[in-house]
Amino acid sequence: MIGVIDFGSQYTQLIARRFREMGVYSEIFPPTVKFSELKSKDVEGIVLSGGPNSVYDFDLNFDMNIFSGEVPVLGICFGFQLMAQILGGKVEKGEKGEFGLTKIRIVKSSLLFKGLAEEENVWMSHHDVVKELPSSFEVLAYSENNYIAAAQSQIKPLFAVQFHPEVTHTENGKKVLENFAFEICKAKKNWDLGKFVEEKIKEIKERVGTDKVLLAVSGGVDSSTLAVLLKEAVGDKLTAIFVDHGLLRKGEKEEVSNALRSLGVNLVVVDAEDRFLNRLNGVTDPEEKRKIIGHEFIEVFLEEAKKRGPFKYLAQGTLYPDVIESAASSTGMAAKIKTHHNVGGLPEDLKFELIEPFRYLFKDEVRRIAQILNIPDFIIKRQPFPGPGLAVRILGEVTKDKLEILRMADYILQEELQKWSEYEKIWQSFAVLLPIRTVGVKGDFRSYEYVIALRIVESEDGMTANFVEVPYDILGKVSRRITNEVKGINRVVYDLTDKPPATIEWE
Ligand code: XMP
């Protein structure tokens, strides 16, 4: 495994993912990690990430033993500066910053740059520069501004680059990381998700024994994959509960439950539409709606669990980015902290033991596991869908009639969009029902009906997003079909806002 020490760069997770993509397991550690802990995990190499801080005004409790040379180290950006500073070099603010695409000149051959040309296009993002290297170091490359772009120790396996090999803009970045992993660290290619699945199934089976496991499924890829993995491990000792809060899209409950049942999951579908709609009656405030839904969800889920228990274990689809982010926010190194808004957390005093087999996995790895477990494509490729469902896409009060209108409009949008050759680039696409009515003319009569807004965005992770330039003929067809086929709608508008300043959902 390759250990990545996280100094708060927005690309830290990308570094770990790159190594995993090449078949080498990689984990992320806080900046205070001790060398002894890394060794106890058998790390074959250590990477120091970038970060938003400056080394000269930052007091780090960093373990110097990491530079002993016993395990190869690669410093990236801030990681390079930290290595230089600690080992006796000098870091200063450069006269110029270097941001975006830059050329570097490689002036010395090194295992790190094996197979690279003399000039390479790399991606940089820094203001501080290493002005003087530690005495035992030599320069490997310079940037266009003649700053040191890469260096290595002449006596120990310590390497450093000022650019970011983990981002795709660095043309041969992958090659640099491969050189580090295989040429320098001699890492073994043994990270294999098929093997991971087999091992997890065995491990969960042994751990659970004759006890029972409880799981909430939403129909999303994480909980569905978890349901199937658990079923493989413990069979019917798993009870998966799918709460239908009445805020799902057209056909969603049937599609998801049929798919999971046909894969052998012991699935309980709780029909709680009336309960949720009663509680939402007359409520218009977005936060209030979310709170009610979150609270009600937990009540329904726990009531159902009580009827079918006792359960010793609760399984959750927690992913590695959540684990890393909560760790990063506790060390205060990361500049950005994500707001989690899942349907309410379960109360902490519950006496379940947790099973979280995806705690060390990235989302794309869960998708690959879903494929290994034969989960149908429509679940694997599913767009993110908010826990509070259509309630946050009906602005103002949620009623049965409005849900019906929105479901139909959304269905038409999906049907038409799926015919688009560039459908794959869409991160999320949905209809929003606005609480205003406008005047129109249908047949020979004046109409006074609701407005549907279409929201179609592309995004990497939902943190930022851009509206998609969907061709007008598709948008026009969607609009005509909605106004013709959905009773109660006489106007359709397209949302041309990015995030920020807007959010993806309208509430
Ligand atoms: P926003 O609207 O904040 O959404 O730009 C970012 C991403 O999160 C999803 N989203 C939610 N997911 N519970 C969820 O599980 C929620 O309450 C919730 N609100 C927004 C949204 O669909 C988008 O993918």
Side-chain angles (χ1 to χ4, degrees):
M1 104 130 97
I2 296 208
V4 179
I5 304 185
D6 180 14
F7 295 101
S9 160
Q10 49 181 324
Y11 305 121
T12 303
Q13 295 182 26
L14 209 47
I15 305 174
R17 276 172 55 192
R18 292 285 175 261
F19 286 121
R20 289 191 190 188
E21 280 162 16
M22 58 182 90
V24 178
Y25 184 63
S26 177
E27 250 181 54
I28 293 170
F29 295 88
T32 48
V33 66
K34 295 284 165 259
F35 185 51
S36 53
E37 185 189 339
L38 292 168
K39 275 211 311 191
S40 73
K41 295 222 167 188
D42 284 334
V43 294
E44 297 161 293
I46 298 168
V47 174
L48 312 179
S49 86
N53 300 290
S54 280
V55 285
Y56 44 80
D57 57 26
F58 203 77
D59 183 22
L60 265 181
N61 185 8
F62 184 82
D63 184 358
M64 289 274 291
N65 294 319
I66 287 172
F67 295 132
S68 65
E70 208 180 312
V71 175
V73 180
L74 171 66
I76 295 177
C77 196
F78 174 90
F80 174 21
Q81 296 159 11
L82 182 78
M83 187 187 286
Q85 168 102 351
I86 290 182
L87 298 178
K90 215 160 124 194
V91 178
E92 283 174 9
K93 200 173 200 72
E95 296 92 62
K96 291 185 196 163
E98 292 179 309
F99 298 95
L101 219 48
T102 317
K103 274 198 191 341
I104 58 164
R105 254 181 313 120
I106 297 178
V107 293
K108 172 117 197 124
S109 71
S110 160
L111 275 182
L112 190 64
F113 291 154
K114 192 173 164 190
L116 266 64
E118 251 169 56
E119 259 199 7
E120 287 285 338
N121 287 323
V122 301
W123 200 86
M124 290 196 170
S125 178
H126 68 110
H127 238 296
D128 288 350
V129 292
V130 174
K131 272 278 156 78
E132 275 171 35
L133 287 173
S135 57
S136 55
F137 275 62
E138 59 187 347
V139 176
L140 295 180
Y142 288 101
S143 72
E144 283 170 319
N145 296 312
N146 274 328
Y147 293 139
I148 301 171
Q152 71 182 19
S153 160
Q154 290 163 298
I155 47 177
K156 292 177 182 175
L158 305 179
F159 299 81
V161 290
Q162 185 55 69
F163 59 89
H164 287 271
E166 68 275 24
V167 305
T168 47
H169 311 281
T170 295
E171 274 169 19
N172 279 314
K174 191 169 159 230
K175 184 82 192 124
V176 173
L177 294 178
E178 276 173 359
N179 285 341
F180 180 67
F182 301 121
E183 299 287 335
I184 295 166
C185 303
K186 310 280 181 215
K188 286 167 258 350
K189 250 191 199 183
N190 55 7
W191 174 236
D192 171 344
L193 286 173
K195 238 173 32 200
F196 173 90
V197 169
E198 273 172 34
E199 281 167 14
K200 276 292 163 197
I201 290 174
K202 190 160 159 261
E203 182 190 311
I204 294 170
K205 193 177 188 160
E206 278 166 14
R207 180 172 166 205
V208 168
T210 54
D211 287 304
K212 288 172 74 173
V213 183
L214 178 65
L215 167 73
V217 291
S218 65
V221 63
D222 305 339
S223 63
S224 302
T225 308
L226 185 53
V228 178
L229 181 85
L230 288 167
K231 173 244 143 193
E232 294 292 328
V234 304
D236 278 354
K237 289 193 289 284
L238 165 73
T239 302
I241 297 182
F242 182 26
V243 176
D244 174 12
H245 49 22
L247 308 164
L248 299 170
R249 289 161 292 188
K250 184 166 146 57
E252 191 161 21
K253 178 168 79 175
E254 294 73 20
E255 280 169 17
V256 170
S257 49
N258 290 343
L260 289 179
R261 282 188 177 134
S262 73
L263 287 164
V265 174
N266 172 20
L267 183 76
V268 177
V269 179
V270 189
D271 194 353
E273 180 181 8
D274 290 343
R275 220 172 132 161
F276 279 83
L277 289 187
N278 282 339
R279 293 289 319 272
L280 288 169
N281 191 8
V283 182
T284 55
D285 179 70
E287 280 310 303
E288 188 66 22
K289 287 201 281 192
R290 273 174 198 274
K291 238 187 261 158
I292 290 174
I293 295 165
H295 182 261
E296 202 61 21
F297 182 91
I298 290 166
E299 292 247 300
V300 174
F301 179 70
L302 291 180
E303 270 173 34
E304 208 54 41
K306 211 167 176 184
K307 278 192 229 157
R308 295 165 194 276
F311 293 96
K312 180 167 179 193
Y313 296 98
L314 176 73
Q316 287 187 339
T318 315
L319 297 187
Y320 199 30
D322 299 333
V323 177
I324 300 166
E325 254 150 49
S326 37
S329 58
S330 71
T331 64
M333 286 296 286
K336 152 189 99 181
I337 291 161
K338 181 162 138 196
T339 350
H340 295 266
H341 36 193
N342 280 328
V343 173
L346 288 170
E348 278 183 8
D349 57 354
L350 284 178
K351 299 270 175 284
F352 297 117
E353 282 181 36
L354 289 183
I355 297 183
E356 298 181 307
F358 300 158
R359 248 184 108 71
Y360 287 96
L361 297 186
F362 292 109
K363 185 106 185 171
D364 45 336
E365 293 176 316
V366 173
R367 288 210 181 91
R368 295 222 304 280
I369 290 184
Q371 279 165 338
I372 294 171
L373 294 171
N374 292 323
I375 290 173
D377 245 24
F378 83 89
I379 292 184
I380 299 178
K381 293 198 173 154
R382 190 160 251 259
Q383 296 178 357
F385 185 63
L390 299 182
V392 293
R393 296 176 180 175
I394 293 177
L395 305 201
E397 190 187 0
V398 180
T399 64
K400 227 174 169 148
D401 290 347
K402 287 190 168 179
L403 279 164
E404 212 32 56
I405 292 178
L406 182 58
R407 273 193 195 110
M408 267 317 291
D410 196 69
Y411 183 76
I412 292 170
L413 171 66
Q414 305 312 335
E415 206 171 54
E416 293 303 324
L417 268 186
Q418 274 160 18
K419 297 179 195 159
W420 186 28
S421 55
E422 291 176 55
Y423 179 77
E424 294 279 317
K425 74 164 156 200
I426 296 174
W427 164 267
Q428 265 176 300
S429 51
F430 54 87
V432 181
L433 181 59
L434 307 191
I436 45 166
R437 288 190 286 173
T438 71
V439 174
V441 49
K442 275 193 176 174
D444 289 330
F445 298 98
R446 173 187 188 273
S447 67
Y448 188 51
E449 295 177 320
Y450 288 112
V451 181
I452 283 285
L454 306 177
R455 183 75 167 137
I456 306 169
V457 295
E458 44 193 336
S459 174
E460 286 277 319
D461 54 8
M463 303 291 299
T464 59
N466 294 101
F467 72 86
V468 180
E469 294 187 28
V470 178
Y472 276 131
D473 57 338
I474 296 177
L475 292 176
K477 178 123 191 249
V478 171
S479 166
R480 278 188 287 278
R481 278 196 60 192
I482 291 178
T483 46
N484 278 317
E485 295 173 34
V486 185
K487 226 172 130 226
I489 301 296
N490 67 358
R491 197 177 291 271
V492 175
V493 298
Y494 191 50
D495 182 350
L496 297 172
T497 336
D498 296 332
K499 170 185 181 176
T503 50
I504 295 177
E505 304 289 347
W506 275 45
E507 273 196 347

